[in-house]
Amino acid sequence: MSISNLAAIDAAHHIHPFSDMKALNAKGTRIITRGEGSHIFDSTGKKYLDGFAGLWCVNIGYGRPEIADAVQRQMNELAYYNAFFGTSTPSATLLAEKIASHTEGHLNHVFFTNSGSEATDTWFRMARVYWQAKGQPEKKIVIARRNGYHGSTVAGASLGGMKHMHQQAGSEITGIAHIGQPYWYAEGGELTPHEFGLKAAKELEDKIAELGADKIAAFVAEPIQGAGGVIVPPDSYWPEIQRICTENDILLVADEVICGFGRLGQWFGHQHFKVKPDLAPVAKGLSSGYLPIGAVLISDRVADVMINEVGDFFHGFTYSGHPVSAAAALENLRIIEDEKLVERVRDDIGPYFTKAWKSLEDHDLVGTAENVGLMGALQMAAEKKTRQRFTKADDFGSYVRNVCLENGLVLRATGDRMLASPPLVITEEEVDFMVKVTRLGLDAAWKVRGDYV
Ligand SMILES: *Cc1c(COP(=O)(O)O)cnc(C)c1O
């Protein structure tokens, strides 16, 4: 099968997620055929360092035979059984235990889904059911953040704070309110990051006062906003959020779909920020993307009500706890444990990446380079001194990304922020390559910057 053939077939039949199909078909789809470690290869044989771990998910890198073997074993033994009718499978049960073992004690219960979006729908319904069972059915509203991302189902798109998603098919779910994000560089004005973190958290307090704590079920946020542009909150932000949720008796939901499973140098992102969520959706790194699986981690506080008060929770998916996906996830977590990948990100490759990534701040285009562990962003600036942004930010970011791609590095652009989220197994040499090629992209963009201001 020739490459041009595959691209033509793709254009004729395949509608891609989050893609302008007319533009994509004109350009031609890039067909990825192979992966190994931190690299992917396309159908022309071109090799790329995957600085984005697929879509924030391939934490253990590509091509691990142990996972393929675990999947094959499980498929041969039992390809499918469900968890609906008083049954489970060894891999689903052991995976629930394994996940809980990494949560420092209070998130002891796991509800399985097939994706992060389904995990969002699951905790959203669960939070409301929890308050119903507690005799406070009017506590229904969920507060989320502008520029947050929680998936593409109707609840996910409504909870997310992406304006373009709301505009396309509405934001139909009622009882959702949005507050601002802790994005100091763009919105902090004259405040210090510390002051701005407190101000952004205060928006939650103000919104609760406006709507009434007795009407609010939960607040949801990503520990670090991913799709929104790897927005690292100021240190003052999360402790305030925790305090406000506790004082107002509102469930705190940490969307761990990206931050979970080692990316920030802890098993979960909320551990890095030292907060205690009541619910935490996960997906992506749970199986390193080898098979689809997601879950909601449930605190003892919520589980106690779900188990002892609710009775039947009328919710679930045919493939909740799919034994083959669970087998892949179990093996993935075994690899993360045995190879000490979380510790590696915290103590070794993470600090190395921080230093290398920060070195880009000397570039005239880079306003700030931020990261926690192996999740980073470069904020580009039209003028560094005034933190002035590019007007045609999306096109400018795409320009840099395309130069990097030509030079063998996959990064993602969100507006005028370049995002990095490499596999947790990335080597120092590969980090050096990332930074070298990113600098090439910035140099090329510097020459054409006038077209984008
Ligand atoms: C990717 C993502 C989701 C949605 O997960 P899917 O598996 O794509 O449905 C939800 N929340 C966050 C923070 C994500 O990054």
Side-chain angles (χ1 to χ4, degrees):
M1 183 67 63
S2 81
I3 307 144
S4 55
N5 246 349
L6 272 176
I9 293 169
D10 197 76
H13 299 292
H14 186 186
I15 303 288
H16 294 228
F18 283 94
S19 301
D20 175 342
M21 287 316 300
K22 196 168 166 188
L24 177 57
N25 290 343
K27 193 170 72 161
T29 300
R30 187 177 312 110
I31 310 280
I32 306 301
T33 53
R34 200 162 67 79
E36 196 184 312
S38 297
H39 289 93
I40 53 171
F41 299 80
D42 72 15
S43 53
T44 68
K46 188 172 161 71
K47 178 180 179 182
Y48 306 85
L49 178 64
D50 186 1
F52 212 66
L55 205 41
W56 323 88
C57 56
V58 189
N59 289 6
I60 60 166
Y62 296 90
R64 292 298 191 112
E66 307 95 306
I67 303 247
D69 292 346
V71 163
Q72 190 185 28
R73 271 197 308 276
Q74 180 64 55
M75 277 214 178
N76 285 329
E77 208 161 281
L78 179 68
Y80 172 75
Y81 204 72
N82 66 70
F84 278 50
F85 308 121
T87 53
S88 185
T89 59
S91 50
T93 296
L94 293 175
L95 180 60
E97 178 200 38
K98 174 65 75 188
I99 295 171
S101 76
H102 288 294
T103 64
E104 295 177 349
H106 81 293
L107 294 162
N108 273 314
H109 309 265
V110 179
F111 190 106
F112 287 114
T113 69
N114 305 290
S115 68
S117 298
E118 287 180 3
T120 292
D121 281 47
T122 298
W123 71 251
F124 183 78
R125 295 195 67 209
M126 191 179 286
R128 289 178 167 185
V129 169
Y130 168 83
W131 289 114
Q132 269 173 11
K134 298 259 290 177
Q136 293 175 268
E138 67 290 352
K139 269 173 91 71
K140 278 184 77 166
I141 299 172
V142 175
I143 301 176
R145 301 190 302 199
R146 288 193 283 282
N147 203 32
Y149 186 78
H150 303 294
S152 272
T153 48
V154 180
S158 301
L159 280 165
M162 303 290 183
K163 236 187 288 164
H164 50 282
M165 289 179 81
H166 294 172
Q167 278 161 0
Q168 269 187 338
S171 180
E172 273 95 359
I173 309 259
T174 56
I176 291 174
H178 288 93
I179 60 168
Q181 57 180 330
Y183 186 4
W184 174 78
Y185 195 90
E187 300 170 7
E190 298 295 305
L191 299 178
T192 65
H194 181 85
E195 290 166 344
F196 181 70
L198 295 177
K199 177 166 179 270
K202 177 113 189 339
E203 279 196 47
L204 177 59
E205 205 157 36
D206 293 347
K207 186 56 88 177
I208 293 169
E210 176 196 327
L211 301 172
D214 57 345
K215 300 283 190 299
I216 301 170
F219 169 70
V220 62
E222 302 150 80
I224 295 177
Q225 279 156 277
V230 183
I231 311 297
V232 180
D235 289 343
S236 55
Y237 182 74
W238 270 110
E240 268 301 278
I241 292 288
Q242 173 85 73
R243 177 189 67 76
I244 293 164
C245 288
T246 305
E247 283 182 15
N248 290 280
D249 202 16
I250 284 165
L251 296 178
L252 175 56
V253 184
D255 185 336
E256 293 278 0
V257 173
I258 291 173
C259 297
F261 306 103
R263 183 145 301 283
L264 306 190
Q266 299 286 336
W267 275 90
F268 297 99
H270 67 264
Q271 294 165 341
H272 173 82
F273 291 108
K274 301 193 166 51
V275 291
K276 257 181 105 168
D278 299 294
L279 294 162
V282 298
K284 297 189 170 112
L286 171 54
S287 66
S288 284
Y290 277 67
L291 280 175
I293 185 167
V296 179
L297 316 192
I298 305 159
S299 62
D300 294 338
R301 170 194 180 178
V302 175
D304 180 52
V305 171
M306 295 303 294
I307 292 166
N308 296 312
E309 311 291 337
V310 171
D312 205 338
F313 178 35
F314 302 111
H315 183 88
F317 306 98
T318 302
Y319 302 132
S320 284
H322 193 291
V324 181
S325 298
L330 263 178
E331 187 62 12
N332 172 59
L333 299 187
R334 185 199 62 75
I335 289 172
I336 294 177
E337 286 173 3
D338 286 2
E339 299 183 6
K340 301 203 180 330
L341 294 182
V342 179
E343 295 82 351
R344 180 171 192 268
V345 174
R346 190 188 60 208
D347 302 330
D348 179 5
I349 197 68
Y352 188 86
F353 177 80
T354 301
K355 195 154 169 258
W357 196 241
K358 278 271 173 208
S359 76
L360 291 165
E361 280 188 336
D362 68 6
H363 198 282
D364 290 325
L365 269 182
V366 176
T368 178
E370 305 171 42
N371 78 294
V372 175
L374 290 181
M375 186 172 180
L378 286 185
Q379 172 72 60
M380 297 183 290
E383 191 187 68
K384 279 169 84 152
K385 203 165 68 181
T386 56
R387 308 209 309 263
Q388 191 198 322
R389 314 271 306 276
F390 284 93
T391 314
K392 296 179 201 159
D394 287 341
D395 295 335
F396 191 65
S398 299
Y399 183 90
V400 177
R401 186 201 54 205
N402 290 340
V403 176
C404 291
L405 213 51
E406 280 162 29
N407 288 282
L409 171 68
V410 180
L411 290 183
R412 176 164 167 178
T414 291
D416 52 10
R417 287 172 81 82
M418 303 307 302
L419 314 186
S421 168
L424 311 188
V425 294
I426 192 169
T427 65
E428 292 185 358
E429 295 72 39
E430 288 163 351
V431 168
D432 293 345
F433 178 84
M434 269 182 89
V435 169
K436 189 184 87 186
V437 175
T438 303
R439 192 176 282 282
L440 274 180
L442 294 167
D443 286 346
W446 175 256
K447 298 197 183 106
V448 298
R449 68 190 185 286
D451 299 343
Y452 298 89
V453 286

